């Protein structure tokens, strides 16, 4: 009995913490404390398996692989929606409603149309009992074990809960996680996921739910379809509020509108937000807010008359493949790039798209001259998705046998990716490496664009990074000898080079361009290995102790420093004046902003956003790009917009740039 109570208390505590974190965006304990509670529960259940329950928080990691999915009938059919593309579609939708309903003053719930996969969840007595995909609308696949791994799906509802609840919503992968997932796949040489929708759908239908657990799926509810044991709310928007109380997380992009004008301004507003939303949308959904009015409007064929899917201009279009060029990237990867008949994709003209690698060219069975389908999604580079039709006169795409730039032999790395083995001897790799080295988040040499770099390379003024800082090579005279470089520009460039010498150790690590070492990893490396010699001496095991560094990245870092020239290169940079402040000797937890998350928004005056964020991080803060209830302070520059509004609505502290600078001064005095 005592064990059972202990188990129940642990479950409740963890559920409460999950709710705070995933639904309220707050956390009251550290990650370490949370992990400890979870481990305690895991070992209790390992010792007493009879205590384990399928909705216990330990079940989020996945169940043993299934042989296939069982088909289940939907008690309420899962319908699709009628689409609208232009203003007249919206007007006739509203007109039809006004003609049919007595009360003409209708309210409309307007919501983002998330681009994921539909899922129905059933709860009995507060417990999740089933998660079913849409299927053909009448019956779908039972994916309950996979659904249990989705952190934003409550496994138990928060009391007081109804006897029975069926809720529908969209399963999606947040764009940030999608990008991360593709980065991981690329670094393993595996096939990339075409878009977040396919990624979500593939992940939800994995037979091995521990695979689903590794994908950052999320769930966003958009309809309440069965409710027993408590009265139905009057409005759809109240249903959403009730679902929030029961433990479902809600985004903040839905609004209630009155009439066409308000709906249109919502649609324009949402479209403006589109590129900065954390998830992909393909439009908006407009629904009658009154549930009674919804019933009165009824259904036609397979779609309700009370809702309309407003579609934004398509992001997938067809065009002709004119040629395939091969680009050699910074780390030698050979990427086939499709040259296309220019075409408008969702408002942007596209004439190039990536084909990722030659295995992808084979998989798509492409030839030059074919008709292809291309897709552009958010910030993702346009991609060729499929062949639509064979061309009339086609030409085969030939896989290179050596580097097309320097003719060095190729290496086939991790299954699919072809790489040039030339390193810095390959002029394409050298140019890309230098572009990265001088870029904003690396050494930040203002005004040193690709054209000037190319000229410096052509004249053999630079071969390695350090040459940029060598006055024998780069000086007023050598710069002024370049075409279109006057005295003023040459002086500006020299002073930009000079000021870039004062940098941080993390920036320099990032600038080196070690494969798979991005900004975040570079920062972690700098914190853990305070100088070049210690980093160069680190072994794979000690590197893997750092968060987010797995065996592959650890191996890449060790390989990088196995080349003694690389350490010598850093030492030469230091000899030529590149320097950085030693990291504060204070342990991280003693730094003034430890444990706090700060966000910076708007135009700043005294420094760039990057510099300010770096300063905050050096004082122990984490910096984030969006405001949530977890944000400690929002620093507000000029013309701040939605982040400021959100911070105010969440009661997050806001500071002007001036407030922050004053506070920073006091910190420096005290140091
Ligand atoms: S309501 C009866 N609301 O769009 C009404 N659907 O084309 C049912 N979708 O399969 C749908 N966001 O998966 C609704 N806010 C939203 C939505 C949404 C995405 C998807 C849904 C459905 C498809 C309909």
């Amino acid at each position: 009995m005592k064990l059972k109570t202990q188990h129940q208390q642990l479950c409740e505590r963890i559920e409460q913490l999950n709710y705070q974190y995933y639904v309220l965006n707050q956390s009251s304990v550290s990650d370490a404390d949370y992990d400890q509670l979870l481990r305690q529960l895991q070992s209790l259940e390992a010792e007493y398996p009879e205590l384990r329950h399928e909705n216990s928080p330990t079940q989020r990691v996945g169940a043993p692989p299934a042989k296939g999915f069982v088909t289940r009938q939907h008690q309420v059919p899962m319908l699709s929606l009628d689409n609208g593309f232009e203003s007249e579609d919206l007007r006739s939708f509203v007109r039809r409603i006004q003609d049919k309903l007595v009360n003409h003053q209708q309210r409309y719930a307007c919501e983002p149309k998330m681009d994921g996969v539909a899922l129905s969840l059933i709860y009995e007595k507060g417990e999740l009992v089933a998660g079913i995909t849409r299927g053909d609308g009448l019956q779908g696949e039972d994916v309950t074990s996979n659904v249990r791994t989705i952190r934003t799906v409550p496994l138990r509802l928060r009391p007081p809960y109804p006897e029975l609840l069926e809720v529908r919503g969209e399963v999606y992968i947040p764009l940030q996680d999608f990008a991360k997932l593709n980065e991981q796949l690329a670094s393993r040489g595996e096939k990339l996921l075409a878009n977040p929708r396919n990624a979500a759908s593939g992940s939800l239908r994995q037979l091995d739910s521990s695979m689903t657990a590794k994908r950052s799926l999320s769930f966003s509810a958009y309809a309440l379809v069965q409710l027993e044991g408590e009265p139905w709310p009057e409005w759809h928007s109240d249903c959403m509020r009730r679902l929030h109380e029961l433990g479902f997380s809600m985004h903040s992009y839905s609004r209630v509108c009155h009439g066409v004008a308000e709906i249109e301004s919502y649609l324009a507003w949402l479209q403006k937000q589109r590129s900065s939303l954390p998830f992909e949308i393909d439009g908006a959904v407009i629904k009658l807010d009154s549930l009674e009015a919804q019933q009165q409007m009824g259904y036609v064929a397979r779609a309700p008359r009370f809702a309309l899917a407003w579609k934004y201009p398509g992001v997938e279009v067809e065009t002709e493949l004119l040629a395939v060029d091969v680009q050699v990237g910074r780390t030698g990867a050979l990427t086939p790039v499709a040259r296309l008949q220019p075409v408008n994709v969702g408002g942007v003209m596209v004439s190039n798209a990536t084909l990722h690698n030659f295995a992808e060219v084979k998989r798509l069975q492409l030839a030059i001259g074919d008709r292809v389908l291309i897709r552009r999604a958010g910030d993702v580079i346009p991609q060729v998705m499929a062949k639509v039709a064979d061309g009339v006169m086609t030409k085969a795409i030939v896989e290179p046998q050596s580097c097309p730039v320097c003719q060095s032999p190729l290496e086939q790395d991790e299954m699919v990716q072809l790489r040039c083995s030339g390193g810095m001897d390959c002029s394409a790799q050298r140019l890309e490496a230098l572009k990265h080295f001088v870029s904003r988040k690396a050494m930040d040499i203002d005004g040193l664009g690709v054209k000037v770099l190319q000229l410096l390379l052509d004249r053999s003024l630079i071969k390695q990074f350090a040459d940029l800082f060598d006055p024998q090579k780069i000086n007023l005279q050598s710069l002024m000898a370049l075409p279109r470089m006057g005295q003023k520009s040459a002086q500006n460039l020299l002073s930009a080079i000079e000021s870039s010498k004062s940098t941080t150790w993390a920036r320099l690590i990032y600038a080196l361009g070690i494969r798979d070492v991005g900004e975040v990893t570079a920062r972690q490396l700098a914190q853990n290995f305070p100088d070049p010699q210690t980093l160069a001496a680190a072994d794979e095991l000690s590197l893997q102790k750092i968060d987010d560094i797995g065996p592959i990245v650890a191996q890449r870092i060790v390989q990088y420093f196995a080349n003694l020239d690389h350490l010598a290169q850093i030492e030469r940079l230091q000899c030529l004046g590149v320097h950085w402040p030693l990291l504060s000797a204070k342990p991280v937890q003693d730094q003034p902003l430890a444990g706090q998350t700060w966000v910076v928004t708007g135009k700043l005056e005294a420094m760039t956003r990057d510099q300010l964020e770096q300063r905050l991080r050096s004082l122990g803060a984490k910096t984030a790009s969006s405001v949530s209830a977890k944000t400690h302070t929002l620093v507000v520059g000029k013309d701040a917009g939605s982040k400021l509004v959100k911070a105010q609505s969440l009661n997050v502290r806001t500071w002007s740039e001036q407030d922050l600078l004053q506070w920073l001064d006091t910190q420096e005095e005290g140091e």
Side-chain angles (χ1 to χ4, degrees), residues 36 47 49 74 81 97 105 110 120 159 181 188 215 244 254 295 320 403 439 464 472 476 488 502 528 552 611:
Q36 205 203 337
E47 203 171 338
H74 290 298
L81 295 173
I97 290 172
Q105 291 302 309
C110 301
S120 202
L181 189 62
R188 282 190 249 128
R215 302 277 171 90
H244 190 41
S254 300
Q295 288 313 313
E320 187 185 335
C403 172
S439 64
Q464 300 176 328
Q472 304 278 330
L476 199 56
K488 184 96 179 59
S502 164
N528 287 276
I552 294 180
Q611 288 166 331

Side-chain angles (χ1 to χ4, degrees), residues 79-81 111-114 118 134 170 222 285 287 304 306:
L79 304 174
S80 59
L81 295 173
E111 302 168 351
K113 183 169 186 307
M114 287 189 166
R134 178 170 187 274
E170 201 82 348
Y222 56 62
V285 180
K287 304 168 181 171
F306 57 78

